[in-house]
Amino acid sequence: MFDADEYEEEQRRRDNLFWRMGEFPFVKPRYLIDGFLPETGLVILAGDPNAGKTALASAIALAVAKGKPFAGMETQQGGVLWLCLEESYAERSAVMKRARGTRRLPIYITNTKIPIDTEQGISDLQYWSNEADARLIVVDPLHAAHSGRSLHDGWSARKTLSLLKDLSKGRLILVLHHLAKRGASRVAESVQLSAIATMVILLQSPPPRGRSLGAPETGRKLGKASTEYTPVRSRGIARPRIVTLDCMGRGDFTNRTWHFISRNALDYHGIFAVPAIPGSLAAKILATLNPRKGISAKTIASQLGKSVKTIRNELTSLKISGSIVGEKLRYVTFYKLARVKK
């Protein structure tokens, strides 16, 4: 039997179990990187080994620490905590050597394993977040940051990230992880990792042909073959690579695909192009571009029943709009890697 005080406490508990949805205002999302990354939350960045996850995270961390735009998007300035659990301090410094003035930036790194699934680990991160006024915490990688649970089990996977998710209510936490298998479209281990995250970003690598593809930090760039990345430089300037990010999560802004042009590990520029309208001539032209072999404007004109001049004009418009980018005869479309012959 409950006494009067216990009864009132139990009644209050039950009364507060549910709330009318209309009592909560619908606020606009706030961003750490405008339109790209939310101000708070748990984000998983997943990709193939050596696909460029650490390079991308490094560029994001630099933009946040400096308060400078990332790929043309405004960034909120703040401190950064980096758990570099697969790199030494020297290796981390080597990645960041292209940036200037890093000694003065509020970026704090550690090799010490801070288990993100324990109260002590979260307490340590909370302490240093306050000390550094951190807006961003990078965990690189997830496998080296927890106390040893199996991530294949759904309950264990959620338990591993639950404390980190609570900590992310006041800042953005970026966790680096692998894909289920090379070229897969989901995060490795349990799908519960994706379920608990605010946002999941899949770093897509172009399909390999003949050789493995390189990440920005390896120096491999667009080469002669339209589907290969080779360390070719033109007039001392590295040819760009296309970085494609498939994002999904809670909120409209999270469910989109981003395309960036990168010339080195810390250099990213956005392709702000509107996809071609389905059924339009531009969309039909993009559909004809083959990632494995070049195609001439004359052949495209023959396939689509248009004049060569019309096709060439449309190709020029696509390049100007950003739907096609590249150098000379080599183009990377908004959707795939291809080569167009004049």
Side-chain angles (χ1 to χ4, degrees), residues 27-29 31 35-36 198-199 247-258:
V27 296
K28 293 183 179 180
Y31 297 100
F36 176 47
T198 305
M199 180 179 176
C247 304
M248 60 199 77
R250 297 173 175 86
D252 291 341
F253 78 92
T254 64
N255 294 288
R256 59 182 65 179
T257 297
W258 294 86

Side-chain angles (χ1 to χ4, degrees), residues 220-235:
R220 293 183 183 275
K221 308 296 174 183
L222 286 177
K224 294 182 179 180
S226 62
T227 55
E228 291 184 0
Y229 281 56
T230 56
V232 174
R233 290 176 176 268
S234 175
R235 296 180 182 178

Side-chain angles (χ1 to χ4, degrees), residues 114-132:
I114 301 177
I116 60 174
D117 54 349
T118 65
E119 295 288 351
Q120 181 62 56
I122 294 299
S123 177
D124 291 341
L125 289 176
Q126 181 68 68
Y127 171 82
W128 271 97
S129 293
N130 295 335
E131 288 291 307

Side-chain angles (χ1 to χ4, degrees), residues 16 60 71 101 104 106 134 143 150 169 218-219 224-225 251 255 275 297 312 320:
N16 293 328
I60 291 171
R104 298 186 298 273
H143 272 303
S150 169
K169 293 177 181 178
T218 67
K224 294 182 179 180
N255 294 288
R312 285 177 176 164
I320 293 173

Side-chain angles (χ1 to χ4, degrees), residues 33 36-37 52-71 75 80 82 92 95-96 99 107 136 138 174 216 262 264-269:
I33 297 178
F36 176 47
L37 289 178
K53 301 184 294 295
T54 299
L56 177 62
S58 298
I60 291 171
L62 274 173
V64 172
K66 292 181 176 181
K68 299 291 186 180
F70 171 79
T75 301
V80 177
W82 189 295
R92 180 95 294 262
V95 174
M96 306 291 273
I107 300 179
L136 173 66
V138 179
L174 184 63
S262 175
N264 61 62
L266 302 178
D267 177 70
Y268 293 84
H269 299 280

Side-chain angles (χ1 to χ4, degrees), residues 182-198:
R182 182 171 289 277
S185 57
R186 69 177 183 85
V187 173
E189 278 90 31
S190 173
V191 295
Q192 292 301 315
L193 292 175
S194 299
I196 197 172
T198 305

Side-chain angles (χ1 to χ4, degrees), residues 204 206 222 229 240-244 259-262 271 325 332-333:
Q204 298 296 339
L222 286 177
Y229 281 56
R241 72 188 293 268
I242 297 299
V243 177
T244 300
H259 303 269
F260 300 115
I261 304 173
S262 175
I271 305 175
V325 295
V332 179
T333 73

